[in-house]
Amino acid sequence: MEVETENDRCNQGQKDDLHAQLWHACAGPLVNVPRAGDKVFYFPQGHIEQVEAYSNQDGKVEMPIYDLPSKILCKVVYVQLKGPSPEHRTSQCLHQKINACPFRKRLTPSDQSAHGGFSVPKRYADECFPPLDMSQEPPTQELVAKDLHGSEWRFRHIYRGHPKRHLLSSGWSTFVSAKKLVVGDACIFLRGENGELYVGVRRATKSQISIPASVISGVSMQHGILASAFHAVSTGTMFTVYYRPW
């Protein structure tokens, strides 16, 4: 995941910003993101080391020398929460209030299987999903959930089995394949005040996060980090920082 600081394009500082709540639910409790107006120290060397770890750069490359302090006091102007996706833009802003508490479940082998479905605990199904028509046999409904990128995912919610349980059947294997989910990953659902459903993913380990081959090289990113920070310090202007919170 990335955070971008730049001029304000949409107000993501609101407490009822569903996009931010879903992002933080996916990121986990250890991720701390500064807010607009906060004063922070920016560490160029630390940023470079993070890029090296992220890009899996082999060998050491001699970098140009910039006259930069070890830490730079900055004021955050704007924060944009982003998510990794090669197919979709990641800057969509959603402003909906949460009606029900989110629920999170780690995927079991049967959840991750292409021939199975996603088993939902009854309490979470009752809280987060619209009520089923129990006069049907079996009770079923079609669910549409939006992810962080605004893409829609369609699932068939069914209540069946012995003993009976809630399952997401049709559409679930497509979601698992598209998101490259593995056992141990967590699936997160939120329900908006207007009844709209949202879905997110929290990866089990950071080692599963891969970088597309087409992304700019680690060396070029490091050059850009130093050059932009040096220019900002020299001219007293704003600069943009892309980083992945650990």
Side-chain angles (χ1 to χ4, degrees):
M1 297 184 178
E2 297 175 339
V3 177
E4 179 183 7
T5 59
E6 57 182 27
N7 289 333
D8 195 354
R9 290 200 301 266
C10 57
N11 183 9
Q12 291 196 339
Q14 296 182 10
K15 293 181 181 180
D16 62 352
D17 187 346
L18 181 62
H19 178 275
Q21 294 192 42
L22 181 58
W23 190 94
H24 281 284
C26 294
L30 299 181
V31 172
N32 182 29
V33 180
R35 296 174 296 179
D38 285 354
K39 289 185 177 181
V40 299
F41 279 112
Y42 172 69
F43 297 86
Q45 182 63 35
H47 196 184
I48 287 177
E49 291 172 358
Q50 189 190 54
V51 168
E52 289 177 347
Y54 172 62
S55 58
N56 296 318
Q57 181 179 309
D58 294 327
K60 293 296 181 180
V61 178
E62 185 175 348
M63 299 298 294
I65 298 175
Y66 288 90
D67 185 17
L68 278 172
S70 60
K71 60 183 179 181
I72 304 169
L73 182 61
C74 304
K75 180 180 179 181
V76 178
V77 176
Y78 176 73
V79 174
Q80 184 179 6
L81 305 176
K82 311 185 82 177
S85 173
E87 301 92 3
H88 304 286
R89 294 181 61 187
T90 59
S91 59
Q92 180 166 357
C93 299
L94 303 174
H95 298 281
Q96 298 291 341
K97 292 183 179 180
I98 299 297
N99 184 40
C101 293
F103 81 82
R104 174 175 63 89
K105 182 195 172 188
R106 293 195 178 278
L107 270 62
T108 64
S110 61
D111 292 329
Q112 194 266 341
S113 171
H115 305 290
F118 182 63
S119 178
V120 182
K122 183 179 185 302
R123 179 170 70 91
Y124 293 145
D126 292 341
E127 289 179 354
C128 202
F129 296 161
L132 286 166
D133 183 357
M134 291 302 180
S135 64
Q136 297 181 9
E137 186 54 46
T140 63
Q141 65 183 190
E142 299 298 318
L143 298 177
V144 179
K146 292 182 179 179
D147 63 17
L148 276 172
H149 315 295
S151 299
E152 292 187 348
W153 300 91
R154 298 181 180 274
F155 307 108
R156 186 182 187 218
H157 173 207
I158 187 169
Y159 187 56
R160 69 181 184 194
H162 299 285
K164 288 190 174 182
R165 57 180 180 155
H166 292 269
L167 287 172
L168 298 184
S169 55
S170 299
W172 174 250
S173 61
T174 301
F175 182 78
V176 169
S177 177
K179 298 294 186 181
K180 298 180 174 60
L181 300 182
V182 299
V183 174
D185 286 345
C187 191
I188 300 168
F189 283 91
L190 300 176
R191 188 178 179 187
E193 192 176 55
N194 59 359
E196 286 191 318
L197 194 64
Y198 299 88
V199 62
V201 172
R202 183 187 298 175
R203 302 292 176 182
T205 62
K206 294 180 175 65
S207 61
Q208 295 169 4
I209 301 173
S210 60
I211 182 169
S214 60
V215 172
I216 189 170
S217 72
V219 175
S220 297
M221 292 174 67
Q222 292 174 50
H223 277 279
I225 287 171
L226 293 173
S228 61
F230 179 77
H231 180 267
V233 171
S234 302
T235 60
T237 56
M238 293 187 295
F239 68 113
T240 300
V241 177
Y242 293 86
Y243 76 99
R244 301 171 62 89
W246 296 122

